[in-house]
C-alpha cells in the first residue's frame, strides 16, 4: 500500500492522527491545499538544515525520522505513524529543518507547503493553535521515547522500541538489528540476544532484515517491567 490515490489519501488523513482533532473547515482546507507525493525506498523527504518548509503527512508506507541537537549527527529515533504530520517547527520558528526524514519503503505522503500555511494563518489566527497542537503531539511522542531510553536494562529498551514500531501497522518492521540497536541505545549483540529471547517466548518472528511482532501486548508488559524476567 505504498502508493495510494488522492481520494483514499484524504480519507486516511481525515480519520487518523492530527486532522480529526481539528475543525472540519480547517481539515478541508489542509487537504485541499496539500500536494500528493510518492517516495521510493531510501528517498529523502527532507534533510537536517534544509531551508524552512511546510508539513508532511504520512498516508501509507514507512518513514524514518532522525534527530540531532545543533552540531551533532542525526540518529534514527523513530518510524513515522500513518496519519501523523511533521515539520511544523519551520512554520512556528522560521528556522531550517531540525530533523531528517527518509522513506523506508514505497511511501505516499501529503505535503502542505509553507506558503499555503502562511496564507491560511493570515486569514485565521487559530491556524497557529492548530499547528501548535501538532507540535505538542510530537512532544508527547518524544516523551515516550525518552522514557523508554531511561530504562536501565537493554532488553527492556529493545522491547520498548519493537513494541513502539508496531504503531506503523501490521507490516513487518523494516529495520535491521543494528538500526534497532541505534533506537534502543543497545549493541547489536544485545539486540540479537533480546530478539532470540522474544522469539522463543512467542512474541515475534525474525527473518533477514525484518521482524514480525506477534504479541505486542506481551512486549509492552515486559518493557514496562510487568512481564517475565
Amino acid at each position: 500500500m505504498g502508493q495510494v490515490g488522492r481520494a483514499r489519501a484524504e480519507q486516511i488523513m481525515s480519520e487518523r492522527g492530527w486532522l480529526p482533532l481539528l475543525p472540519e473547515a480547517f481539515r478541508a482546507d489542509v487537504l485541499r491545499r496539500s500536494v500528493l507525493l510518492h517516495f521510493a525506498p531510501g528517498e529523502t523527504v527532507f534533510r537536517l538544515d534544509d531551508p524552512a518548509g511546510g508539513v508532511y503527512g504520512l498516508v501509507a508506507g514507512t518513514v524514518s525520522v532522525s534527530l540531532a541537537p545543533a552540531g551533532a549527527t542525526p540518529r534514527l529515533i523513530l518510524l513515522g505513524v500513518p496519519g501523523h504530520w511533521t515539520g511544523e517547527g519551520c512554520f512556528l520558528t522560521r528556522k531550517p529543518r531540525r530533523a531528517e526524514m527518509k522513506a523506508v519503503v514505497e511511501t505516499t505522503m501529503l505535503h502542505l507547503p509553507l506558503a499555503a500555511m502562511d496564507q491560511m494563518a493570515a486569514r485565521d489566527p487559530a491556524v497557529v493553535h492548530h499547528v501548535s497542537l501538532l507540535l505538542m503531539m510530537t512532544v508527547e511522542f518524544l516523551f515516550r521515547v525518552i522514557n523508554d531510553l531511561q530504562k536501565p536494562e537493554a532488553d527492556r529498551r529493545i522491547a520498548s522500541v519493537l513494541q513502539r514500531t508496531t504503531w506503523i501497522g501490521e507490516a513487518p518492521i523494516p529495520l535491521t538489528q543494528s538500526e534497532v540497536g541505534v533506537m534502543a541505545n543497545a549493541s547489536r549483540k544485545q539486540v540479537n540476544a533480546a530478539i532470540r529471547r522474544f522469539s522463543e517466548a512467542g512474541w515475534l518472528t525474525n527473518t533477514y532484515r525484518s521482524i514480525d511482532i506477534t504479541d505486542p501486548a506481551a512486549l509492552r508488559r515486559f518493557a514496562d517491567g510487568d512481564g517475565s524476567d
Side-chain angles (χ1 to χ4, degrees), residues 2-228:
Q3 286 198 14
V4 299
R6 181 81 200 192
R8 177 59 179 153
E10 292 189 5
Q11 179 185 6
I12 291 171
M13 302 308 281
S14 295
E15 296 173 349
R16 305 181 190 178
W18 174 53
L19 287 183
L21 304 176
L22 297 167
E24 183 177 352
F26 175 78
R27 182 166 66 247
D29 204 14
V30 168
L31 294 174
R32 180 177 63 83
R33 293 171 178 269
S34 293
V35 180
L36 187 68
L37 300 174
H38 300 292
F39 295 90
E43 188 174 355
T44 298
V45 180
F46 56 74
R47 292 181 174 84
L48 182 71
D49 293 327
D50 273 358
V55 292
Y56 290 83
L58 178 59
V59 176
T62 305
V63 294
S64 63
V65 180
S66 300
L67 304 174
T73 301
R75 291 170 61 86
L76 178 62
I77 297 294
L78 55 93
L79 298 181
V81 179
H84 189 68
W85 297 68
T86 193
E88 68 280 0
C90 292
F91 171 76
L92 296 170
T93 69
R94 303 291 140 163
K95 301 293 185 182
R97 296 290 187 191
R98 293 300 307 275
E100 179 174 283
M101 185 162 64
K102 291 183 178 181
V104 179
V105 297
E106 189 178 20
T107 294
T108 296
M109 306 191 82
L110 285 177
H111 172 53
L112 180 63
L114 184 59
M117 299 176 73
D118 287 339
Q119 292 166 8
M120 294 166 65
R123 292 200 331 267
D124 181 6
V127 168
V128 175
H129 296 290
H130 300 333
V131 177
S132 296
L133 172 61
L134 175 56
L135 173 64
M136 291 313 300
M137 292 173 70
T138 301
V139 169
E140 289 289 341
F141 186 86
L142 291 176
F143 284 166
R144 172 70 175 272
V145 172
I146 293 168
N147 180 72
D148 289 344
L149 286 173
Q150 288 181 323
K151 295 169 182 174
E153 303 94 344
D155 52 357
R156 296 197 193 278
R157 295 197 302 274
I158 294 162
S160 297
V161 166
L162 294 173
Q163 190 276 332
R164 213 167 55 232
T165 55
T166 62
W167 297 351
I168 68 174
E170 296 182 356
I173 298 170
L175 295 172
T176 65
Q177 292 189 8
S178 295
E179 289 168 333
V180 172
V182 170
M183 293 177 68
N185 191 25
S187 68
R188 193 180 185 283
K189 182 178 180 180
Q190 289 172 320
V191 173
N192 185 275
I195 287 177
R196 185 168 59 249
R197 175 183 182 181
F198 301 156
S199 178
E200 290 170 353
W203 301 345
L204 58 80
T205 59
N206 179 41
T207 58
Y208 179 68
R209 284 195 65 85
S210 71
I211 302 166
D212 283 279
I213 306 299
T214 54
D215 195 342
L219 274 176
R220 184 76 253 168
R221 288 193 298 272
F222 176 78
D224 290 340
D226 298 327
S228 172

